[in-house]
């Protein structure tokens, strides 16, 4: 083997063209003008292949030979001095465009995967390791930023006591100092909201306290406690700044975390927590409410209430900052449609499946022995009131109406609340009533009758209320037409007084 | 502005440039001063030695006729050596080849969670330096990755200790940071020495001779001056760093020297500052005008994106303008013994190059980074010339010690730029 190369003596910048030969398998002979040297092959280091760079043989006496012939060199060195396998492998990988393309794709996928999967895990891990003092400080800073946007609360002591009681009800084993701190603020009209901040702070809007019953308050508080337990506030802060997260995770230095907590209020107000965080909080609330014996449906009902009070703007409303309301309602109402509370929204259009669903709802309540109940009252309470066929008088009255198909169903304009029969309340009896009626062209309710009800008292109360309702009539081709509707009305007892504090 | 690496080791960042070496102007070696005047030989005194000349009188000079003097032949003037020709730096790098190398190494680094980074860095540097050719021969980077790896491990241990102990006993953190700051000069020195020692041209290694006191002066004390003057010292500090780095490098027994005046630094920074401020002013005025036009409503997202793009553009333009202008200035004032360098970077072309690189990298989420690197290196090399004032083979080796690997990786980890 004869390889041409250039010899550098390592002491000057002089260069000499030389020829390399391998003598008896283990000596390298370097020959050139005025140069004839022999070196042991084992003492020579050969540079790895890299692209099309020249190869260098590093000779033991600081001299170097540069040459270009790759294959002959490797062949010469193969037996005594094999190129390290990893260097050959890397060079092989670097030499083929196909491999490079695959590597590029892999790199992109890997980076995206790390961000998509690794990031949540990293934030959760870092948030869990944050000491409570830093979390509290972050919460204080976030609260200070919030206070710039909201006005002081006008809630009286009774209202505050209500909220406090519900919180204590949810967390009975917590000492007073360990309970989350309740902060009351006024968010402005129509903005009913509750927010959880790191460090165990729950902000409750006066507007929310005004429209929610005690159980509904408990449901909302349970959801916010879910945010606190999972440290979603901290995780949001960390996620909002990738750099912060990486630095914090690597160095474990959390002091900069507090400076970023000022971003949290804005985050929550504009986007709310992420859907994953909301789902986690909902699951936590679900479990907590079950444990404490609060009916799950109250969460759904409060959401519906908020739906109504929200109005078109919906800024900073509980619903806008807590996305995907319909899914959440469904989660808390697994078996039936959301039943319309007495102050209901649009009544359902006539559909056959409705009566089946209503039947499912009117199941007999748990056997609670009533107090001081006479035989007559009990009979009244537990005798269902049914009209299997439409009463003849109603049929006669309805002859004057025609019911063409409508595109727009009637919409309720004013719905008076249904009075809960006092004797039923005393007996702690709940029930339902299904009212069948007609909405005429003027939007008034005509020829209402009860199809079926849990008992007569409920039927009477239902009719009395429905007859006072006012609708926007059904529309067909731009004209008001009559509509025939059925509306289920549910009577349920709340555990505490439903009237909000004035 | 980052300090370019000492000549000739080049880092693989697109904005790197070969070391700036200045022009040492050296007195032209060709002309000899030949005495051409012909003077009459001094007259012979006729007065005897023992008879002192009478005071006040001197014997009349003997008249010597011009014709009897032999003709004076002026000594032969050697022919003046040919004017030194600028030798170009030729960059042989290929974007496709480098992309393959870069992508495979980056993927392996990611997959091995950074353990492979030492090998990756050595390979990339070796490729970029090995593709640079001067006077028919290429540069060789021959660092052993294993030593870099050891340095990496030491730095990682340092950081782990910082976080673990910091959790247990927080004041430790301040102590560690203080220690890091104090160690900075040493880290700089070691990393420069390591890189220089492992770079060779025609088999002869470069050397960086560490001078810890100088390094402390430049990297610890001068920043205090920076603080005291509220930042006005910054251009001078940049020059001071470059001077320190260049003046302590040598190739064999030939020393690099740096003698650039500081005024141009200030000029460059002031102009760059004006450009950046102009960008900011334009952006802010756009925001103001749109807000006023919309009666106090803040401008929509598209306007804000445009404004931030303007800010970024202003910053990029200013940064690259400063870089290009100072590149020329610095290389024109760097010398290697009596040989010098000439830089002819065109500012507009450089700006176009860098903006194109930036756009390409953003558009491809970083995949076109190696292409940008190669483009930059090729253009930088084409703008730099070496003017040897004589044969360079006479440069010889001097003794010296090797650098260590730890300083090198510490520098990388901390992310400060030491012109490597």
């Amino acid at each position: 083997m004869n390889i041409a190369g250039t010899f550098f003596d390592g002491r000057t910048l002089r260069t000499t063209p030389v020829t390399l030969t391998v003598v008896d398998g283990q000596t390298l002979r370097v020959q050139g003008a005025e140069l004839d040297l022999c070196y042991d092959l084992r003492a020579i280091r050969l540079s790895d292949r890299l692209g099309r760079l020249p190869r260098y043989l590093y000779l033991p006496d600081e001299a170097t030979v540069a040459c270009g012939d790759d294959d002959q060199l490797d062949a010469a060195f193969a037996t005594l001095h094999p190129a390290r396998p990893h260097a050959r492998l890397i060079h092989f990988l670097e030499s083929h465009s196909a491999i490079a393309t695959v590597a590029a794709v892999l790199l992109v996928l890997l980076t995206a995967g790390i961000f998509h999967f690794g990031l949540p895990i990293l934030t959760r891990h870092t948030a869990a390791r944050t000491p409570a003092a830093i979390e509290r400080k972050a919460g204080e800073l976030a609260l200070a930023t919030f206070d710039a946007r909201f006005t002081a609360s006008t809630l009286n002591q009774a209202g505050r006591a209500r909220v406090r009681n519900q919180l204590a009800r949810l967390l009975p084993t917590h000492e007073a100092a360990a309970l989350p701190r309740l902060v009351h603020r006024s968010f402005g009209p129509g903005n009913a909201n509750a927010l959880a901040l790191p460090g165990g702070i729950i902000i409750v809007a006066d507007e929310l306290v005004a429209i929610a019953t005690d159980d509904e308050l408990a449901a909302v508080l349970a959801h916010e406690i879910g945010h606190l337990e999972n440290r979603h506030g901290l995780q949001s802060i960390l996620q909002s700044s990738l750099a912060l997260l990486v630095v914090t995770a690597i160095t474990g230095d959390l002091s900069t975390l507090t400076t970023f907590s000022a971003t949290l209020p804005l985050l929550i107000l504009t986007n709310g927590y992420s859907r994953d965080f909301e789902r986690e909080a909902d699951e936590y609330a679900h479990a907590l409410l079950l444990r404490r014996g609060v009916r799950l449906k109250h969460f759904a009902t409060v959401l519906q209430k908020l739906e109504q009070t929200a109005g078109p703007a919906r800024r900073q409303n509980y619903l806008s900052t807590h996305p995907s309301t319909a899914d959440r309602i469904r989660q808390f109402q697994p078996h039936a449609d959301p039943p319309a509370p007495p102050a209901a929204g649009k009544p359902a259009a006539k559909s056959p499946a409705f009566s089946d669903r209503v039947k499912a709802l009117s199941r007999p309540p748990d056997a609670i022995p009533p107090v001081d109940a006479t035989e007559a009252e009990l009979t009244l309470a537990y005798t269902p009131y049914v009209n299997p066929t439409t009463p003849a008088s109603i049929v006669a009255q309805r002859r004057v109406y025609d019911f063409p198909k409508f595109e727009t169903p009637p919409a309720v304009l004013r719905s008076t609340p249904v009075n809960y029969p006092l004797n039923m309340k005393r007996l702690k009896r709940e029930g339902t009533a299904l009212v069948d009626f007609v909405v005429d062209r003027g939007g008034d309710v005509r020829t209402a009758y009860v199809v079926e009800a849990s008992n007569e008292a409920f039927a009477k109360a239902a009719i009395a209320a429905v007859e006072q309702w006012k609708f926007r009539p059904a529309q067909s081709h731009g004209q008001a037409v009559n509509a025939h509707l059925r509306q289920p009305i549910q009577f349920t007892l709340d555990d505490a007084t439903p009237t909000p504090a004035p | 502005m980052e300090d370019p690496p000492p000549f000739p080791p080049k880092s693989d960042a697109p904005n790197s440039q070969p070391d700036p070496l200045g022009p040492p102007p050296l007195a032209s070696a060709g002309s000899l001063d030949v005495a051409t005047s012909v003077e009459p030989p001094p007259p012979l005194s006729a007065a005897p030695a023992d008879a002192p000349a009478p005071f006040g009188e001197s014997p009349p000079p003997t008249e010597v006729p011009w014709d009897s003097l032999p003709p004076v032949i002026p000594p032969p003037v050697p022919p003046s050596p040919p004017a030194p020709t600028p030798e170009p730096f030729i960059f042989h790098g290929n974007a496709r080849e480098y992309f393959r190398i870069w992508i495979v190494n980056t993927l392996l680094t990611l997959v091995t969670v950074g353990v492979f980074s030492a090998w990756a860095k050595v390979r990339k540097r070796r490729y970029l330096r090995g593709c640079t050719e001067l006077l028919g021969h290429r540069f060789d980077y021959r660092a052993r990755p294993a030593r870099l790896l050891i340095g990496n491990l030491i730095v990682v241990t340092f950081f782990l200790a910082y976080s673990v102990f910091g959790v247990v006993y927080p004041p430790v953190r301040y102590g560690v940071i203080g220690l890091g700051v104090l160690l900075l000069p040493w880290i700089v020195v070691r990393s420069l020495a390591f890189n220089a020692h492992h770079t060779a041209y025609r088999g002869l290694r470069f050397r960086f001779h560490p001078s810890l006191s100088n390094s402390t002066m430049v990297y610890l004390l001068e920043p205090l001056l920076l603080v005291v003057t509220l930042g006005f010292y910054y251009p001078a500090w940049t020059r001071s760093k470059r001077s320190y780095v260049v003046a302590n490098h040598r190739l064999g027994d030939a020393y690099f020297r740096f003698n650039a005046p500081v005024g141009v630094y200030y000029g460059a920074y002031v102009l760059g500052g004006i450009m950046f401020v102009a960008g900011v002013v334009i952006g802010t005025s756009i925001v103001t005008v749109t807000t006023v036009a919309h009666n106090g409503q803040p401008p929509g997202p598209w306007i804000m994106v445009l404004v931030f793009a303007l800010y970024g553009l202003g910053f990029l333009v200013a940064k690259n303008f400063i870089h290009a202008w100072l590149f020329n200035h610095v290389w024109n004032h760097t010398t290697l013994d009596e040989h010098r360098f000439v830089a002819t970077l065109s500012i507009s072309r450089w700006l176009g190059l860098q903006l194109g690189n930036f756009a390409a990298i953003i558009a491809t989420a970083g995949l076109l980074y190696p292409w940008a690197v190669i483009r930059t290196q090729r253009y930088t090399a084409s703008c730099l010339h070496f003017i040897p004032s004589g044969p360079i083979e006479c440069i010889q080796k001097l003794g010296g010690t090797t650098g260590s690997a730890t300083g090198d990786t510490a520098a990388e980890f901390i992310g400060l730029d030491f012109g490597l």
Side-chain angles (χ1 to χ4, degrees):
Chain A
M1 162 210 88
N2 253 347
I3 302 178
T6 318
F7 177 81
F8 311 115
D9 58 14
R11 286 187 296 277
T12 67
L13 287 181
R14 274 191 276 271
T15 65
T16 320
V18 294
T19 331
L20 306 171
T21 46
V22 176
V23 175
D24 64 33
Q26 57 181 38
T27 315
L28 181 79
R29 188 155 171 217
V30 181
Q31 279 173 299
E34 306 166 1
L35 202 65
D36 196 340
L37 303 164
C38 282
Y39 298 92
D40 189 353
L41 267 182
R42 278 177 299 228
I44 302 177
R45 184 167 79 92
L46 176 64
S47 72
D48 297 328
R49 294 181 82 157
L50 177 63
R52 285 166 301 134
L53 289 188
R55 306 291 290 282
Y56 293 92
L57 290 102
Y58 302 111
L59 306 173
D61 57 356
E62 283 285 317
T64 318
V65 175
C67 47
D69 251 341
D70 281 0
D71 294 329
Q72 284 196 45
L73 258 184
D74 284 328
F77 273 73
T79 46
L80 258 175
H81 209 125
R84 287 157 300 165
H86 69 261
R88 274 219 312 266
L89 174 65
I90 294 174
H91 177 76
F92 172 77
L93 291 175
E94 288 170 355
S95 324
H96 296 86
S97 290
I99 298 182
T101 320
V102 169
V105 169
L106 274 179
L107 186 67
V108 169
L109 287 177
L110 202 59
T111 316
I114 287 176
F115 274 97
H116 190 248
F117 296 111
L119 218 55
I121 297 175
L122 195 61
T123 50
R124 197 180 332 228
H125 172 87
T126 313
R129 296 263 179 290
T130 311
I134 293 195
E135 215 191 324
R136 258 199 304 278
K137 200 155 158 234
E140 302 280 335
L141 281 171
L143 183 61
T145 317
F146 258 112
D147 278 341
R149 297 173 80 102
F150 302 124
T151 54
S153 163
T154 53
L155 197 58
N156 63 2
Q157 283 304 318
R160 288 176 199 246
R162 277 180 63 210
V163 182
R164 249 194 332 267
N165 287 341
Q166 291 310 308
L167 189 63
R169 173 191 184 190
L170 288 173
L171 303 171
T173 53
H174 280 54
E175 298 166 356
L179 281 176
R181 181 175 137 203
L182 284 172
V183 171
H184 294 277
R185 293 282 181 271
S186 173
F187 280 30
N191 286 334
N193 213 339
L195 295 164
L197 297 180
I201 300 176
I202 300 181
I203 308 183
V204 182
D206 294 350
E207 293 76 14
L208 179 67
V209 179
I211 64 171
T213 67
D214 285 358
D215 279 333
E216 289 163 354
L217 271 179
V220 170
L221 285 174
H223 176 87
E224 300 307 325
I225 292 172
H227 280 311
L228 288 178
E229 288 294 315
N230 289 309
R231 297 180 142 168
H232 288 157
L234 266 187
Q235 289 192 44
S236 291
I237 295 175
L238 286 170
Q239 274 179 351
S240 71
S241 168
L242 177 63
L244 171 70
L245 173 64
V246 169
V247 166
T248 309
I250 289 180
T251 64
D253 187 356
L254 299 158
S255 48
T256 42
L257 190 66
T258 49
T259 57
F260 279 83
S261 53
T263 62
L264 184 61
L266 203 60
L267 278 179
I268 297 185
L269 284 180
T270 54
N271 303 319
Y273 285 116
S274 71
R275 279 168 197 251
D276 295 329
F277 287 162
E278 288 300 325
R279 202 170 33 242
E280 246 186 330
D282 277 347
E283 279 164 16
Y284 187 91
H286 202 274
L288 181 60
L289 292 173
L290 276 177
R291 261 207 316 278
R292 300 286 172 241
V294 180
R295 283 219 181 80
L296 297 175
K297 65 171 196 218
H298 291 296
F299 196 43
T301 52
V302 72
L303 285 176
Q304 284 172 323
K305 274 189 188 171
L306 296 172
E307 182 103 23
Q308 292 159 37
T309 57
R314 258 206 200 185
R315 304 176 71 218
Q316 296 169 9
N317 182 272
Y318 194 81
L319 299 171
S320 62
T321 58
H322 292 70
S324 61
T325 314
D327 297 332
R328 300 170 74 206
I329 293 181
R330 211 169 310 143
Q331 214 190 350
F332 283 80
Q333 296 271 331
H335 303 299
D337 319 16
K346 293 185 262 193
K350 179 179 177 178
S351 76
F354 232 128
S355 46
D356 299 328
R357 291 203 208 112
V358 167
K359 274 207 190 80
L361 283 170
S362 56
R363 59 193 185 281
D366 302 331
I368 307 168
V371 179
D372 295 335
T374 62
E375 196 67 21
E377 282 170 343
L378 283 173
T379 315
L380 175 65
Y382 288 93
T383 310
Y385 174 82
V386 180
N387 276 328
T389 57
T390 317
S393 56
I394 300 289
V395 169
Q397 286 168 21
R398 283 189 183 168
R399 272 211 197 95
V400 303
Y401 296 114
D402 56 320
F403 300 105
K405 277 180 92 68
F406 53 80
E407 296 116 23
T408 320
V412 69
L413 287 177
R414 186 193 70 226
S415 59
T416 54
V418 184
N419 285 326
Y420 205 104
L422 275 173
N423 44 1
M424 294 302 121
K425 199 186 254 182
R426 192 168 58 78
L427 293 173
K428 291 191 175 37
R429 174 95 169 96
E430 295 182 334
T432 53
L434 181 66
V435 184
D436 184 312
F437 56 93
V438 166
V439 176
D440 67 0
R441 285 201 193 88
D444 298 312
V445 173
R446 305 268 184 237
T447 67
Y449 77 98
V450 173
V451 177
E452 55 188 358
S454 304
N455 58 47
E456 209 179 359
F458 287 137
K460 284 210 181 87
I463 287 273
V466 168
E467 279 178 348
Q468 312 234 345
W469 289 357
K470 180 79 174 158
F471 287 83
R472 186 170 54 237
Q475 304 284 327
S476 171
H477 303 301
Q479 293 251 339
V481 293
N482 305 315
H484 179 200
L485 301 177
R486 277 191 177 186
Q487 172 64 42
I489 294 176
Q490 230 193 356
F491 296 84
T492 48
L493 287 166
D494 286 329
D495 293 357
T497 53
T499 55
Chain B
M1 193 194 103
E2 31 180 47
D3 284 326
F7 169 76
K10 298 183 187 44
S11 78
D12 39 2
N15 276 349
S16 77
Q17 24 166 332
D19 261 24
L21 299 182
L26 163 275
S28 49
S31 56
L32 295 174
D33 221 4
V34 178
T36 50
S37 59
V38 178
E39 286 181 69
L44 301 166
S45 174
D50 49 314
F55 185 75
E57 292 177 17
S58 54
T62 318
E63 201 70 47
V64 179
W66 279 102
D67 310 331
S68 62
L69 288 175
V72 178
I73 304 170
V77 180
S80 54
T85 52
E87 304 286 347
F89 281 87
I90 304 174
F91 186 71
H92 295 278
N94 181 310
R96 243 177 244 193
E97 203 172 38
Y98 187 60
F99 177 80
R100 291 200 295 264
I101 294 172
W102 182 87
I103 196 91
V104 167
N105 280 291
T106 308
L107 183 64
L108 284 171
T109 306
L110 198 59
V111 164
T112 58
V113 198
V115 173
F116 192 74
S117 64
W119 280 266
K121 186 192 305 188
V122 164
R123 283 186 88 79
K124 289 187 285 196
R125 273 198 191 148
R126 217 179 110 205
Y127 181 81
L128 290 173
R129 294 176 192 189
C131 284
T132 313
E133 181 191 311
L134 175 68
L135 289 168
H137 295 275
R138 302 192 182 195
F139 294 90
D140 179 26
Y141 185 70
R142 36 170 95 164
R144 304 275 210 122
R147 300 188 69 200
L148 275 183
L149 188 63
I150 295 171
N152 274 342
L153 289 174
I154 293 176
V155 173
V156 166
T157 317
F158 202 78
F159 266 86
L160 278 179
Y162 168 83
S163 40
V164 167
F165 284 120
V167 167
V168 168
Y169 189 55
V172 161
R173 291 222 175 101
Y174 299 109
V176 164
I177 294 175
L179 192 65
V181 167
L182 285 177
L183 279 181
L184 191 63
W186 178 81
I187 292 173
V188 170
V189 159
R190 299 300 353 151
S191 47
L192 286 169
F194 178 83
N195 261 335
H197 178 258
H198 288 288
T199 310
Y201 178 65
R202 296 188 189 182
L204 186 61
R205 291 179 191 256
F206 288 84
R207 287 269 192 269
F208 178 80
H209 40 203
S211 159
L212 211 52
S213 55
N214 273 350
S215 172
T216 314
M217 172 81 109
V218 171
Y219 288 97
L220 273 190
L221 297 178
E222 292 200 12
L224 292 176
L225 203 56
L226 197 64
V227 170
V228 163
T229 58
L230 300 175
F232 279 104
Y233 187 66
Y234 187 76
W237 186 50
T238 311
R239 184 198 167 278
S240 167
K241 281 191 291 182
R242 164 73 66 211
S243 170
Y244 170 72
V245 167
V246 168
N248 286 306
H249 270 90
R250 61 183 168 83
L251 174 64
D253 62 355
Y255 284 78
F256 286 94
R257 289 190 181 79
F258 182 78
N259 54 7
V262 82
V264 177
Y265 273 86
Y266 275 93
Y269 272 93
V270 163
L271 279 175
I274 289 176
M275 284 180 197
F276 176 60
V277 166
V280 168
V281 162
I282 293 176
T284 318
S285 52
I286 289 180
V287 170
T288 318
V289 164
T290 48
T291 309
V292 167
H294 287 248
N295 291 331
Q297 265 186 352
W302 289 115
I303 308 269
M304 291 315 291
V305 164
L306 173 70
V307 166
F308 278 115
L310 265 176
Y311 288 165
L313 195 69
F315 176 73
L316 270 180
V317 165
K319 175 173 184 279
N320 284 303
F321 169 81
I322 292 174
H323 185 275
W325 194 333
L326 287 179
F327 178 90
N328 286 336
H329 177 63
V330 143
W331 276 104
N332 286 333
H333 288 85
T334 306
T335 64
L336 173 67
D337 267 359
E338 60 273 9
H339 316 288
R340 50 195 187 91
F341 294 85
V342 158
T344 51
L345 198 74
S346 149
I347 295 180
S348 53
R349 228 184 114 180
W350 177 258
L351 272 176
L353 181 79
Q354 290 305 313
L355 289 176
N357 284 349
F358 183 75
I361 292 175
I362 297 277
T364 58
L367 282 180
L368 273 185
Y369 177 79
W371 171 83
V373 166
I374 295 285
R375 247 178 33 133
T376 309
Q377 293 281 70
R378 190 178 296 136
Y379 181 63
T380 309
S382 72
C383 296
L384 195 62
H385 289 82
F386 177 66
I387 306 185
S389 62
I392 61 169
E393 281 75 8
C394 51
I395 296 179
Q396 286 180 14
K397 181 181 159 162
L398 266 183
T401 55
T402 69
S404 71
T406 316
D408 183 32
T409 48
E412 296 287 324
F413 211 88
I414 295 174
L416 292 168
D417 184 55
F418 300 109
L420 299 168

